[in-house]
Amino acid sequence: MTTTTPAGEQHETDAQHPAVTALRAAVQAATVSHRDLDRVDTEAFDRLHAVLAEHFPLLHEHLELVRVPRQALLFRWRGRTDADPVVLMAHLDVVPVEPADTWTHPAFDAVVADAPEGLAVWGRGTLDDKGCVVAICAAVERLLASGATPERDVWLSFGCDEEVSGTSAEAAVAHLRDAGVTPWFVLDEGGAVASGAFPGVRRAVGVVGVTEKGTSLFELRATGRGGHSSTPARNGPTVRVARAVTRVDAAPMATRLPAPTVALLHRMAPLTPLPLRLALGAVGGRLTPALTRALQAAGPEAAAMTRTTLATTMLSGSPAANVIASTATATVNARILVGDTVASVAEHLRRVVGAGVEVAVVEAGEPSPVSPYEDDPAFALLERTITAVFPDAVPAPYVMMAATDSRFFTAICERVYRFAPFPMSKAQRESIHSYDERITVDGFLAGVDWYAALLTGLPA
Ligand SMILES: [Zn+2]
């Protein structure tokens, strides 16, 4: 922003920026993904591809495009040297809009209007994840227009089914593996330039995910005779599953501090008020009871940092009002913190639910390996770029709570980082997968600058 123009006028011109126009067009293509492929509006994805081709002609002219099934895109930008390439990831699909949610502006209209954070583009996907898709493309387009060539190959991998845990990212990984590509680092969505994220810290934190929790599903199942509801036996399947659910709720897994969380707390320490500063600075690999209480009290976001969480989601029992269930089940959705495993969680569940209820693994997802962040040249490049574009933000590693497509890339790359270079308030972070999702115009354009600076800063 310049000081010679009144802020209002500057906003006007920012809102007319070609990258903002491209973002709005991208949001207007309602690329909702579904597990049931028959329900996917493939034309919406075609429209999004067309939007990208129209707004980023140089990118489409100079980069090689590999079409990955079904509607994912994988681009290769040849660099000056054959040093290990970099992969920038984002996804083209979005989650549906719940009919009951009332949006301030319609979810797929991409209206530009004021938000508490400033002038913003409103709509589904602005933050998750079309902001990244379009900012990456805009940065590449800008560099191509200036005649730049990156020092090493840059791949752009845009999946089409991230929100339904689909296979397009795996297909991209398979293509790269077949091509003999071992990336120097991979960067996907995940972290942000987050304000209000850490109790007592006024500055924004540029959190870069260095590992993510694993998502696993377990089924608790009890079986019995069933029969007519007029002659119930005690302790039937439904009762046993109900008891198991309350036992799981009452027996959370042990709290722990993985190394990246310790590093995050150490970086936050100098920014916090004195008593907390001393407590955080002194954190070793263990959680003190006082710190555990502080993190638990800071809300579910901070509490989830300290342990594997177990949430009971689906329940099923009798199919009819006058029938006793012969089988009752409950689904436990576990988000596994690095240090725990699918096997250790299954063991915990078996011990807690006791006899009479079986525990089965329905879907197994281990936590991702921890990518390097101390004295690492790639992580240091991310940190430098964050500090250069967002001087007020403090970069820090962290453990991501949600799953991203980047977990598949851990198979071919030891450095997988998760960071979206956009300032996000707490309300904005809460709008993801919810309603009133929005990105500020200024923040989005800073994100374009960030990707351009990252690509320019790649060493040979
Ligand atoms: Zn996403």
Side-chain angles (χ1 to χ4, degrees), residues 28 53 77 100 103 235 245 258 294 372 381 402 414 417 428 441 449:
Q28 284 162 0
W77 189 8
W103 287 62
N235 204 26
V245 168
L381 172 64
E414 64 166 323
Y417 301 113
Q428 281 174 290
V441 168
D449 290 345

Side-chain angles (χ1 to χ4, degrees), residues 91 128-129 162-163 189:
H91 59 86
D128 183 14
D129 187 28
E162 193 273 349
E163 298 293 0
E189 62 171 338

Side-chain angles (χ1 to χ4, degrees), residues 31-382:
T31 50
V32 176
S33 53
H34 290 279
R35 275 175 194 262
D36 176 0
L37 296 182
D38 291 340
R39 293 180 60 198
V40 176
D41 178 1
T42 55
E43 280 175 22
F45 284 85
D46 292 341
R47 282 203 303 282
L48 179 54
H49 293 172
V51 164
L52 297 178
E54 182 197 334
H55 290 268
F56 306 110
L58 295 176
L59 185 157
H60 284 76
E61 183 188 332
H62 292 274
L63 275 60
E64 295 155 40
L65 172 60
V66 181
R67 291 295 292 259
V68 178
R70 297 171 319 282
Q71 288 177 298
L73 302 173
L74 181 63
F75 290 100
R76 179 186 188 177
W77 189 8
R78 283 185 190 266
R80 206 182 295 281
T81 70
D82 57 7
D84 285 342
V86 163
V87 182
L88 301 183
M89 297 178 63
H91 59 86
L92 304 170
D93 62 315
V94 295
V95 292
V97 170
E98 294 299 323
D101 286 346
T102 44
W103 287 62
T104 305
H105 302 285
F108 294 107
D109 282 7
V111 167
V112 176
D114 278 321
E117 299 83 12
L119 189 69
V121 181
W122 296 69
R124 172 64 82 224
T126 47
L127 294 173
D128 183 14
D129 187 28
K130 288 174 179 170
C132 286
V133 171
V134 177
I136 290 169
C137 291
V140 170
E141 189 78 5
R142 183 194 296 175
L143 295 177
L144 285 168
S146 72
T149 304
E151 288 298 329
R152 45 178 82 214
D153 278 12
V154 175
W155 291 80
L156 313 180
S157 179
F158 300 150
C160 61
D161 49 16
E162 193 273 349
E163 298 293 0
V164 291
S165 303
T167 54
S168 70
E170 268 179 295
V173 169
H175 178 88
L176 293 175
R177 184 192 270 139
D178 291 348
V181 173
T182 51
W184 182 38
F185 71 84
V186 174
L187 180 70
D188 196 6
E189 62 171 338
V193 181
S195 49
F198 204 86
V201 176
R202 274 203 206 89
R203 289 175 66 183
V205 188
V207 281
V208 180
V210 293
T211 175
E212 63 191 45
K213 282 184 157 182
T215 302
S216 293
L217 301 180
F218 298 88
E219 188 183 69
L220 314 181
R221 170 182 290 260
T223 52
R225 265 178 44 94
H228 198 276
S229 55
S230 59
T231 55
R234 288 185 62 89
N235 204 26
T238 305
V239 172
R240 276 179 276 141
V241 163
R243 190 162 52 223
V245 168
T246 59
R247 282 177 175 172
V248 169
D249 190 53
M253 294 198 60
T255 55
R256 223 152 17 75
L257 271 192
T261 309
V262 174
L264 170 69
L265 296 180
H266 283 173
R267 292 198 192 197
M268 294 304 102
L271 310 173
T272 51
L274 196 60
L276 192 55
R277 187 186 313 168
L278 297 176
L280 294 181
V283 169
R286 267 175 345 121
L287 268 176
T288 59
L291 186 56
T292 306
R293 277 197 303 277
L295 288 169
Q296 302 281 333
E301 215 178 11
M305 285 169 48
T306 64
R307 61 161 54 105
T308 293
T309 57
L310 304 170
T312 300
T313 52
M314 297 188 293
L315 290 171
S316 83
S318 164
N322 60 350
V323 171
I324 293 173
S326 56
T327 302
T329 64
T331 299
V332 176
N333 185 309
R335 300 304 173 105
I336 306 180
L337 187 61
V338 62
D340 284 322
T341 61
V342 175
S344 72
V345 175
E347 196 187 304
H348 170 87
L349 288 172
R350 288 197 181 100
R351 197 175 58 243
V352 167
V353 302
V357 177
E358 304 277 309
V359 176
V361 180
V362 178
E363 262 180 53
E366 299 285 359
S368 301
V370 179
S371 300
Y373 54 88
E374 296 295 6
D375 300 319
D376 182 80
F379 192 81
L381 172 64
L382 298 181

Side-chain angles (χ1 to χ4, degrees), residues 127 301 424-438:
L127 294 173
E301 215 178 11
M424 290 187 207
S425 67
K426 195 166 197 301
Q428 281 174 290
R429 297 198 298 281
E430 286 167 356
S431 75
I432 293 172
H433 289 209
S434 179
Y435 60 92
D436 279 352
E437 189 178 344
R438 60 193 180 268

